């Protein structure tokens, strides 16, 4: 699934915050580098939960470039605190941060050049 037919060859064109999919359809959902692009984060999470079967695996990956501040109320860039809030009623199997300085430098270099 994608939101733009020009970017890939998706089976479904849709926004993550309004999925045209039946409830309880998937055993696994992957949202890689997606959630930072939605204006309606709570709706996107709600839609993923709606289309996931009970006990489904949901894998989410989002970039995080700047350090956390105002802990634990730093929700603007999907920090670990925001993920815990979004999934507070669900089982979190693993929540791992993978950001480190070399990745940040690589990201900035790619964006600027």
């Amino acid at each position: 699934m994608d939101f733009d037919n020009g970017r890939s060859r998706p089976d479904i064109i849709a926004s993550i915050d309004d999925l045209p999919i039946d409830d309880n359809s998937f055993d696994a959902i992957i949202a890689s580098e997606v959630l930072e692009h939605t204006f309606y984060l709570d709706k996107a999470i709600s839609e993923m939960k709606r289309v996931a079967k009970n006990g489904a695996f949901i894998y989410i990956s989002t970039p995080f470039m700047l350090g956390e501040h105002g802990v634990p109320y730093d929700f603007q860039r999907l920090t670990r605190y925001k993920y815990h809030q979004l999934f507070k009623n669900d089982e979190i199997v693993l929540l791992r941060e993978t950001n480190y300085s070399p990745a940040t430098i690589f990201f900035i270099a790619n964006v600027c050049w």
Side-chain angles (χ1 to χ4, degrees):
M1 184 166 91
D2 204 332
F3 71 96
D4 181 356
N5 199 24
R7 293 182 167 270
S8 63
R9 304 190 112 176
D11 295 324
I12 301 170
I13 305 268
S15 177
I16 194 168
D17 54 50
D18 188 21
L19 299 174
I21 298 168
D22 292 336
D23 294 358
N24 306 309
S25 293
F26 296 106
D27 293 311
I29 296 173
I30 298 172
S32 181
E33 315 301 310
V34 172
L35 294 180
E36 69 274 14
H37 299 290
T38 183
F39 288 113
Y40 309 106
L41 179 61
D42 289 337
K43 181 70 171 133
I45 296 297
S46 176
E47 283 290 274
M48 285 194 294
K49 290 180 181 184
R50 180 184 66 77
V51 301
K53 292 179 181 177
N54 188 27
F57 175 78
I58 299 176
Y59 173 86
I60 298 171
S61 170
T62 53
F64 184 82
M65 206 169 96
L66 302 173
E68 297 173 0
H69 60 283
V71 173
Y73 302 104
D74 185 359
F75 299 136
Q76 299 304 310
R77 293 172 310 282
L78 299 176
T79 67
R80 61 183 159 198
Y81 305 102
K82 184 63 175 177
Y83 281 116
H84 279 288
Q85 184 265 331
L86 289 168
F87 292 96
K88 66 184 172 212
N89 296 321
D90 303 290
E91 179 183 4
I92 297 176
V93 175
L94 175 65
L95 180 61
R96 178 174 47 185
E97 298 171 45
T98 59
N99 297 299
Y100 60 101
S101 296
T104 302
I105 293 167
F106 179 75
F107 176 79
I108 291 171
N110 279 302
V111 169
C112 295
W113 287 283

